[in-house]
Amino acid sequence: MTAPLDAVIVGAGFAGMYMLHRLRGKGFTARVIEAGQGVGGTWYWNRYPGARCDVESVQYSYQFSPELEQEWEWTERYATQPEILKYANHVADRYDLRRDIQFGTRVTKAQFVEADNGWLVETDKGERIAARFLITAMGCLSSPNTPKIPGLAEFAGPTYHTGNWPHEGVDFTGKTVGVIGTGSSAIQSIPIIARQARHLTVFQRTANYTVPAHNRPLDPAYVREVKAGYREMRRRAKTMPAGIDLRINNVPAVEASEEERRRQYQERWDYGGLGFMASFNDLLLNDEANRTAADFVREKVRGIVKDPKTAEILTPTNIIGCKRLCVDSGYWETFNRPNVTLVDIRDEPIERITPTGARAKGQDYTFDCLVLATGFDAMTGALLKVDIRGRDGVSLRDAWSEGPKTYLGLTVAGFPNFFTITGPGSPSVLTNMLPSIEQHVDWIADCLEALREKGVAVIEPEPEAQEAWAVHNGSVANITLRSTCSSWYVGANIPGKPRVFMPYIGGLPAYIERCEAVVAKGYEGFTFV
Ligand code: N01
């Protein structure tokens, strides 16, 4: 075993890379352990056709370095996965990060050792690494969910999961393909797979809402304008609940006229992107308001999809924005293609996967390749795959058996010197991930520096502070319609997972204010040794 490090960081996505950079800058020693062979996290694994970010590229980027902001050129309104991965690699090179990243290695176990006031981390390569702090940067959507559909292992052709796509890519030309799922990953990939494949069969359990991306190459004049005003744009974004600089119409839909509602929705539909949900300020608070937006989109489906039966199956019936809204390029239009079949499995699950396809509702569908666009065990899945043990050998799995609890989404009672970047209880997935990540990382780095200055060996949240944060999380979640449906936000996509609204929904500004207040009050809610 080597000499103890200050920190082991798990994961070399945007969170792990920035954490390493910040710790180095403060003179701490750190090593990043990364399962993949390269940096980029979610953008390293999610290489399915059409993978893009649904936050505009000029905002889905680091802001810690004005030089980096100025030198990097985004080429499209919504960056593709390859372009984002290129950006991640550029950052790794620019800040010479790779020398402290150990690729192709998984952390299997981490145990807090009381006698050492630190962690002992074990990897699948048989190493044991001692570190004062354990910092997870494992992503919120990084543990792919493969549903237990009978017969899955018997399928004779290749099976691909969108969240773990082959690096060499997949050419579906001339093939028949089955896709299970109609979430964001499916909605991005289906139009492209349909253009390549001889035939595509889509199995839909829940019809989803999506709005057009209207993606386009970025106009150089616009990029110059953004770059000239980057500081102001970033400042504005931090005042927005989702950490994205967008136009929020601070008016309730229920008080607007029918004509005004149509005008707003149409304008935002034509503009494209997630700003659709900012058409009015009550869309996620009030059923009646929500229905006006949902009806607008439902009408669009019926207008776009020519076959009335297919349109009916594709028309979502639940609350718009309850599950994460999708952003697409030609999704509904794809179902007008003669080579695309939609199978409604709302009432009855797929009976089984057969060697040549799938059997659903008593009918056999055949295909050469199967795509599982079935999502992730979100927010806790990756963390709980590692055997993390805090004080007295208590496992995180046991501590979270009734659902995850954290203090500020960053720390866990009973798990000293342990930090979770974008952990459950943080705003993370409800916001633009990059600014949230930077805020979390800055907070953690500053905390470690404060501990060093105070000569403190161990920091741990008080159970009461954690409980109060969990209660606050639950009460803000209950105000919104988002807590009402069966989404991955509440773990409903994973059988047996406790139902807890996992991300903090109070908005990024309120969260930042709270984190800063905790520090101003001498790390209120934490105990030190
Ligand atoms: O996963 P999902 P995703 N039988 O969980 C279906 C982010 N993301 O990978 O809705 C049949 O949304 C499931 O059906 P149902 C983004 O935050 C971002 O698409 O549970 N179907 C659903 O249709 C997103 O929210 C981008 O009834 C089954 C689908 O599989 C998150 O990742 C792009 C099934 C899963 O949808 C997850 O998106 C892509 C079964 N047994 C993703 N099990 C950006 O643009 C599951 N399904 C940034």
Side-chain angles (χ1 to χ4, degrees):
M1 204 162 67
T2 50
L5 295 159
D6 289 317
V8 162
I9 301 164
V10 191
F14 284 123
M17 288 201 294
Y18 182 51
M19 192 76 246
L20 173 62
H21 178 63
R22 287 286 280 143
L23 289 185
R24 269 189 192 165
K26 287 183 184 290
F28 290 107
T29 55
R31 193 190 312 173
V32 181
I33 310 291
E34 165 59 53
Q37 296 295 346
V39 297
T42 209
W43 303 106
Y44 175 87
W45 300 104
N46 285 258
R47 298 174 187 235
Y48 60 83
R52 279 177 197 279
C53 187
D54 56 6
V55 174
E56 295 192 22
S57 53
V58 293
Q59 298 205 51
Y60 188 83
S61 53
Y62 285 123
Q63 57 189 283
F64 69 85
S65 160
E67 297 76 30
L68 175 64
E69 270 174 348
Q70 294 298 324
E71 76 198 16
W72 183 260
E73 291 289 333
W74 293 107
T75 64
E76 293 182 62
R77 179 179 177 189
Y78 295 101
T80 59
Q81 172 272 330
E83 190 170 30
I84 302 172
L85 190 59
K86 201 168 149 201
Y87 173 71
N89 277 287
H90 169 73
V91 173
D93 293 338
R94 193 188 196 286
Y95 298 99
D96 187 22
L97 298 179
R98 286 177 222 279
R99 67 183 155 87
D100 286 321
I101 305 176
Q102 184 174 332
F103 293 106
T105 308
R106 263 181 203 283
V107 171
T108 51
K109 187 172 180 185
Q111 160 82 59
F112 182 72
V113 182
E114 310 240 0
D116 300 342
N117 286 335
W119 286 84
L120 186 60
V121 177
E122 295 179 30
T123 73
D124 63 354
K125 301 286 179 292
E127 291 150 303
R128 289 152 67 84
I129 309 161
R132 174 60 48 86
F133 299 98
L134 174 65
I135 304 173
T136 56
M138 296 160 84
C140 297
L141 296 156
S142 49
S143 178
N145 167 41
T146 298
K148 291 187 172 49
I149 304 173
L152 201 51
E154 288 155 32
F155 184 61
T159 302
Y160 308 104
H161 195 294
T162 47
N164 189 6
W165 200 259
H167 285 202
E168 62 280 14
V170 180
D171 183 4
F172 291 110
T173 308
K175 301 268 198 278
T176 53
V177 185
V179 171
I180 301 177
T182 49
S184 298
S185 304
I187 282 176
Q188 287 184 333
S189 54
I190 281 171
I192 296 173
I193 297 175
R195 286 202 290 273
Q196 285 180 3
R198 186 148 54 83
H199 194 90
L200 168 64
T201 307
V202 176
F203 296 88
Q204 174 190 277
R205 188 163 67 183
T206 310
N208 218 331
Y209 291 95
T210 175
V211 294
H214 297 310
N215 185 43
R216 56 176 178 269
L218 281 178
D219 172 10
Y222 169 75
V223 174
R224 275 197 300 278
E225 196 185 310
V226 168
K227 287 190 172 180
Y230 241 139
R231 294 277 64 74
E232 184 51 23
M233 177 196 259
R234 304 292 201 184
R235 190 202 57 74
R236 277 196 309 272
K238 281 209 176 111
T239 66
M240 307 282 175
I244 306 174
D245 181 27
L246 51 78
R247 269 183 317 121
I248 299 177
N249 182 27
N250 218 353
V251 171
V254 288
E255 286 176 18
S257 65
E258 173 62 24
E259 194 188 0
E260 170 54 11
R261 283 198 294 258
R262 282 201 152 274
R263 198 190 62 72
Q264 273 290 340
Y265 294 143
Q266 187 61 50
E267 191 191 293
R268 285 164 189 265
W269 180 271
D270 293 340
Y271 183 75
L274 294 171
F276 184 81
M277 289 308 290
S279 299
F280 294 97
N281 64 9
D282 55 351
L283 296 185
L284 286 169
L285 298 174
N286 178 323
D287 273 316
E288 196 188 329
N290 190 278
R291 205 171 311 120
T292 65
D295 282 346
F296 179 88
V297 178
R298 289 173 189 141
E299 218 176 274
K300 290 288 183 197
V301 188
R302 294 185 196 110
I304 296 169
V305 180
K306 296 200 176 98
D307 172 48
K309 177 96 192 340
T310 307
E312 189 194 320
I313 299 169
L314 284 171
T315 303
T317 52
N318 49 0
I319 287 163
I320 185 168
C322 195
K323 292 187 174 187
R324 188 184 166 104
L325 184 66
C326 304
V327 178
D328 74 281
S329 297
Y331 176 66
W332 281 317
E333 291 82 348
T334 299
F335 292 89
N336 291 331
R337 295 178 64 100
N339 69 333
V340 176
T341 304
L342 178 66
V343 182
D344 179 9
I345 52 164
R346 181 178 8 189
D347 305 327
E348 281 177 49
I350 292 173
E351 276 169 52
R352 67 180 299 112
I353 301 294
T354 64
T356 54
R359 188 166 179 78
K361 290 177 149 175
Q363 200 176 324
D364 281 313
Y365 299 87
T366 57
F367 37 81
D368 308 319
C369 323
L370 174 60
V371 174
L372 299 174
T374 45
F376 302 89
D377 182 356
M379 301 206 76
T380 57
L383 279 164
L384 295 181
K385 270 187 186 163
V386 180
D387 183 10
I388 298 175
R389 289 178 185 266
R391 277 194 199 288
D392 306 321
V394 172
S395 72
L396 192 62
R397 184 168 281 283
D398 285 342
W400 286 359
S401 61
E402 287 172 19
K405 280 189 183 169
T406 65
Y407 183 38
L408 303 176
L410 294 171
T411 59
V412 185
F415 293 77
N417 288 0
F418 176 51
F419 295 92
T420 52
I421 306 173
T422 68
S426 75
S428 53
V429 286
L430 297 176
T431 64
N432 181 0
M433 287 295 271
L434 266 286
S436 282
I437 283 171
E438 285 184 286
Q439 186 273 347
H440 298 342
V441 167
D442 288 342
W443 192 94
I444 295 166
D446 291 347
C447 175
L448 264 53
E449 189 174 40
L451 298 179
R452 183 171 60 190
E453 277 166 15
K454 286 181 211 277
V456 167
V458 175
I459 182 169
E460 184 182 347
E462 293 161 4
E464 300 76 24
Q466 174 168 288
E467 192 55 34
W469 184 248
V471 169
H472 173 60
N473 262 275
S475 56
V476 280
N478 285 339
I479 298 169
T480 87
L481 299 173
R482 268 194 157 145
S483 59
T484 60
C485 63
S486 298
S487 65
W488 57 258
Y489 293 132
V490 296
N493 62 330
I494 304 296
K497 191 164 172 172
R499 189 181 173 105
V500 171
F501 194 88
M502 292 182 286
Y504 175 62
I505 201 171
L508 189 60
Y511 177 79
I512 294 175
E513 201 179 300
R514 183 62 194 273
C515 288
E516 287 175 355
V518 164
V519 175
K521 291 180 188 162
Y523 288 92
E524 185 185 43
F526 287 98
T527 53
F528 301 108
V529 176

